[in-house]
């Protein structure tokens, strides 16, 4: 699937977006519509969990920080963050990071074929501020430390194999990871104000113990061509990885990352943008930039990102109006859901169940504004396929 740039033909909430006048690449813009008028329709009133959803969708609470998960004996972690889902026979597993420092790590919840919670357990311990991460094609979870000289840890969603530190993937302030099975690489974001965008090329696909860390090299514009250059010293000491390669492109606070169909998307929170890399012709451009919609954009505070089988992107907000917004393949941008009464929190960890009918995510600090107030949710309904 090829996604047009939102800056070429921006559509917000089903209506052509914008500013009046002529902007980038000569695109003309008109006033944006209100959020909530995208492919799923307007948001309803808050449900019992304080979530505004389109018609036909329902929510439930899966876990709360400091409380037992369902009828299990496992206590859910604080500050739930990045997550992913894994098929497990007729059921599935949702994994979730813990963004606390020290003692971050990650946990998992296992579901039956009917969606009933059957167990919950720890899959990673003794790490620091595990923020986002990514799923591998061989069904492991890459849990990333968002600290200076942080590591990537490869973990087992089933909790049977010990987690393994992967220093070859570089030591920096890791955020998210996205696997590309075509080029057999892992893309990595860096949460620094002058962070870089990386890829890790394993020596053997499916084995992350050794390989080459590379950084994206490009100009300062918001579109153009790019190349990859090896990072000489992936351990980031004494020189940070982002400072080792002349001409490497700086990004303002790298966050979520998602790969599909020869394209990788990633978000940068410092300038509230979604970037798009076309991997077939090695070009990059902006897929979303809220500055082009005159401060009335439905999506602000971009953070974690995931995709659905429909080609829709779902982007979680860190702050903003506590929305998960959808960006469709034809560049409609609209609010899919909103959490009321939790302005001191952020939405994290969006991930779809293997059959695409359930969306999992967390409010990292819930109603309390504290890491001990995290709430993990499930939304079920007629998602587009």
């Amino acid at each position: 699937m090829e996604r047009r740039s939102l800056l070429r033909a921006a559509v917000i909430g089903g209506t052509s977006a914008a500013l009046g006048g002529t902007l980038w690449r000569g695109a003309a813009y008109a006033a944006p519509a209100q959020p909530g008028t995208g492919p799923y329709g307007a948001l309803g009133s808050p449900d019992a969990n304080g979530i505004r959803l389109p018609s036909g969708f329902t929510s439930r609470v899966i876990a709360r920080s400091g409380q037992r998960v369902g009828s299990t004996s496992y206590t859910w972690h604080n500050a739930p963050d990045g997550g992913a889902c894994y098929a497990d026979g007729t059921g599935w597993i949702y994994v979730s990071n813990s963004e606390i420092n020290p003692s971050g790590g990650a946990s998992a919840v296992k579901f039956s074929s009917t969606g009933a919670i059957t167990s919950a357990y720890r899959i990673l311990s003794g790490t620091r501020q595990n923020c986002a991460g990514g799923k591998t094609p061989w069904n492991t979870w890459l849990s990333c430390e968002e600290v200076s000289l942080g590591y990537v840890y490869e973990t087992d969603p089933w909790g049977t194999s010990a987690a393994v530190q992967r220093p070859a993937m570089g030591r920096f302030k890791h955020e998210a990871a996205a696997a590309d099975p075509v080029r057999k690489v892992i893309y990595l974001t860096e949460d620094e104000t002058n962070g870089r965008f990386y890829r890790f090329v394993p020596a053997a696909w499916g084995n992350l113990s050794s390989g080459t860390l590379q950084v994206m090299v490009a100009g300062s514009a918001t579109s153009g061509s790019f190349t990859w250059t090896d990072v000489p010293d992936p351990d980031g000491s004494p020189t940070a990885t982002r400072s080792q390669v002349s001409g490497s492109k700086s990004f303002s606070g790298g966050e979520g990352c998602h790969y599909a169909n020869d394209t990788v998307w990633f978000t940068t929170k410092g300038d509230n943008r979604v970037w798009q890399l076309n991997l077939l012709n090695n070009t990059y451009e902006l897929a979303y930039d809220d500055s082009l919609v005159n401060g009335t954009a439905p999506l602000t505070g971009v953070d974690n990102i995931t995709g659905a089988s429909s080609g829709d992107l779902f982007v979680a907000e860190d702050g903003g109006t506590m929305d998960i917004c959808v960006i469709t393949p034809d560049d409609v941008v609209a609010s899919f859901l909103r959490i009321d009464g939790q302005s001191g929190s952020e939405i994290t960890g969006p991930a779809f169940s293997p059959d695409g009918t359930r969306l999992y995510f967390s409010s990292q600090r819930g109603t309390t504004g504290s890491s001990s107030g995290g709430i993990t949710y499930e939304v079920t309904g007629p998602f587009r396929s």
Side-chain angles (χ1 to χ4, degrees), residues 298-300 313-317 323-327 333-337:
L299 173 58
T300 57
L313 298 175
F314 286 77
V315 186
E317 289 187 341
D323 288 13
I324 292 179
C325 286
V326 60
I327 304 177
V333 182
S335 175
F336 169 71
L337 67 78

Side-chain angles (χ1 to χ4, degrees), residues 357-378:
T357 64
R358 301 167 191 250
L359 175 64
Y360 294 92
F361 59 94
S362 296
S363 171
Q364 189 179 81
R365 296 177 292 279
T367 59
T368 69
S370 165
S371 63
S372 61
I375 308 171
T376 300
Y377 300 95
E378 173 195 85

Side-chain angles (χ1 to χ4, degrees), residues 86 133-142 154 169 176-188 197-200 202 205-206 208 257-265 279:
Y86 299 79
K135 179 180 178 179
T136 69
W138 49 94
N139 286 326
T140 58
W141 168 243
L142 301 180
E154 188 170 13
M169 299 183 76
D180 176 353
V182 177
R183 279 146 286 271
K184 298 182 178 179
V185 300
I186 308 289
Y187 302 103
L188 301 161
F197 189 71
Y198 303 89
R199 73 174 187 179
F200 178 67
W205 187 233
L208 304 178
C257 190
H258 175 69
Y259 168 85
N261 301 313
D262 298 310
T263 305
V264 61
W265 294 270
L279 302 168

Side-chain angles (χ1 to χ4, degrees), residues 40 51-54 57-62 83-85 92 94 111 304-308 312-316 323-326 335-338 347-362 376-383:
Y40 292 101
I51 301 180
R52 296 178 179 267
L53 292 162
F57 289 86
T58 58
S59 75
R60 67 166 171 160
V61 173
I62 297 302
C85 282
W92 60 92
Y94 177 67
F111 299 87
N304 292 171
I305 185 172
T306 193
D312 293 334
L313 298 175
F314 286 77
V315 186
D323 288 13
I324 292 179
C325 286
V326 60
S335 175
F336 169 71
L337 67 78
R338 178 173 300 157
I347 297 181
T348 59
F352 281 94
S353 59
D355 67 359
T357 64
R358 301 167 191 250
L359 175 64
Y360 294 92
F361 59 94
S362 296
T376 300
Y377 300 95
E378 173 195 85
V379 164
T380 305
F383 288 100

